[in-house]
Amino acid sequence: WEDLGPQEFALRPVGTGSYILEDWGEDGGRSLLRAYSSSWRAPVHFDRLEVIYPLRDSVVRRQALESGEIDITVQVSFDDLKDLEAQGFTTQILQVPQIRALGFSNLGGEGSPLNDVRVRQALNYAVDKKAIAEVFYYNEVEVVGQGAIPGTAGYNPEIRPYPYDPDRARALLEEAGFGDGFELDAEAEIGQAQVIYEKAAQDLARVGVTMNVRAVVASIWLQKYFSSEWGDTEVLSVVWNAGAYRDTIRALEQYSCLKPQPFFCEPSLVPAIEATGAMFDPIQRDRALQDIM
């Protein structure tokens, strides 16, 4: 580090992995990795790997796969899976420990309909999450009622998803004084999940709630998420993320007063969240996380 400095050191990393990064691919877009025979897990089958980064479009990735230009690709469109399997390709679907949601801030915003628990419940009843799982994810994901999926530390099996019940949603809105509906401004990060939020907006419209969804680029979304300064936006597309170690604590800290510049803060939960960091019995800790959920 002293000899090279941070810039040069970053270009010549030292590690113990299976492959040595020989070329970053700054010129041609192809990163080259060669087998490292002295690794603690030396490669057995491949002595060279070429990783192509610039193929950001799923259609282009599929074409490169079919033409033989590449052997492996990721994030293939669900619409292409069956066709690729028919051509003899092997596909694998991994359900990542993330829950897509619509987040709101409970700091400020006096007079917002979202301050009423009945309104929040109504929004959950109004969205047909099962249809989203079936249509957009080909039944490869599960509908949950919490910020975690089964197999994640802290997942609470006793919490059931909100069923799709638009009639109950309308009744709750009426009870809360919003029988004529109301309007929400939402922002969703541009990407594959954008259609999910548009579907949610369609479902909400059926119970009288107009949610205007505006697509924003990742840089703007990140700025709003980390600063918690949303401007006129009342709802933001968010993810309850338990990666990469399948533990709910990451998301619980982000959706609490513990997040630097939080957008959602419930002080009574902070001691319980912090206490899990000192629990060494995995069963006790899992139960504590479930209770927080």
Side-chain angles (χ1 to χ4, degrees), residues 19-20 31-35 46-51 72:
Y19 291 86
I20 296 174
S31 297
L32 179 62
L33 296 92
R34 292 201 179 276
F46 305 103
D47 60 5
R48 180 180 62 86
L49 293 175
E50 278 188 11
V51 183
I72 303 172

Side-chain angles (χ1 to χ4, degrees), residues 27-97:
D27 298 328
R30 293 172 182 254
S31 297
L32 179 62
L33 296 92
R34 292 201 179 276
Y36 181 42
S37 59
S38 299
S39 169
W40 65 279
R41 51 176 183 182
V44 177
H45 302 291
F46 305 103
D47 60 5
R48 180 180 62 86
L49 293 175
E50 278 188 11
V51 183
I52 304 175
Y53 283 110
L55 305 180
R56 295 187 177 92
D57 186 271
S58 63
V59 175
V60 176
R61 290 197 298 272
R62 172 181 170 168
Q63 292 172 345
L65 188 68
E66 292 175 321
S67 67
E69 181 182 359
I70 60 176
D71 300 298
I72 303 172
T73 188
V74 296
Q75 294 183 346
V76 174
S77 168
F78 273 102
D79 297 331
D80 293 335
L81 285 179
K82 295 300 181 185
D83 191 29
L84 287 171
E85 289 171 354
Q87 296 181 54
F89 289 99
T90 299
T91 60
Q92 184 176 24
I93 297 174
L94 174 65
Q95 186 174 347
V96 295

